[in-house]
Amino acid sequence: WRQSNTALILRCEDLVGVKGGGSDSEQIKSLKEICNYLEINVEDKDIEKIQANCQRENQPFAMGSFL
């Protein structure tokens, strides 16, 4: 399945961003990959809004574990 052209493979570490122990740049890259995979055209400013929403304080995922 990893070699499939129909699957998008992402690492959890790349999705969580700084507040989850990852990096903002990898999170943005992953969000762009998701949108591209789903054939959704988004501008950088929209990706930034999505990223900001992913990093709210009340999110249940932080530092590699579910709270």
Side-chain angles (χ1 to χ4, degrees):
W1 60 270
R2 287 186 175 192
Q3 287 76 29
S4 171
N5 292 334
T6 60
L8 176 64
I9 310 298
L10 297 170
R11 295 174 357 129
C12 182
E13 295 87 350
D14 295 338
L15 290 171
V16 296
V18 170
K19 289 189 178 183
S23 79
D24 284 339
S25 62
E26 287 300 318
Q27 185 180 43
I28 289 171
K29 179 182 171 191
S30 295
L31 291 170
K32 288 180 179 181
E33 288 179 22
I34 292 168
C35 292
N36 186 50
Y37 179 78
L38 296 174
E39 298 178 352
I40 299 171
N41 295 322
V42 294
E43 296 180 18
D44 287 343
K45 65 181 173 104
D46 296 322
I47 292 290
E48 291 171 9
K49 289 179 185 176
I50 294 168
Q51 181 193 30
N53 194 46
C54 290
Q55 296 192 15
R56 294 183 312 201
E57 292 297 325
N58 62 350
Q59 295 295 74
F61 188 85
M63 298 305 294
S65 64
F66 287 95
L67 300 176

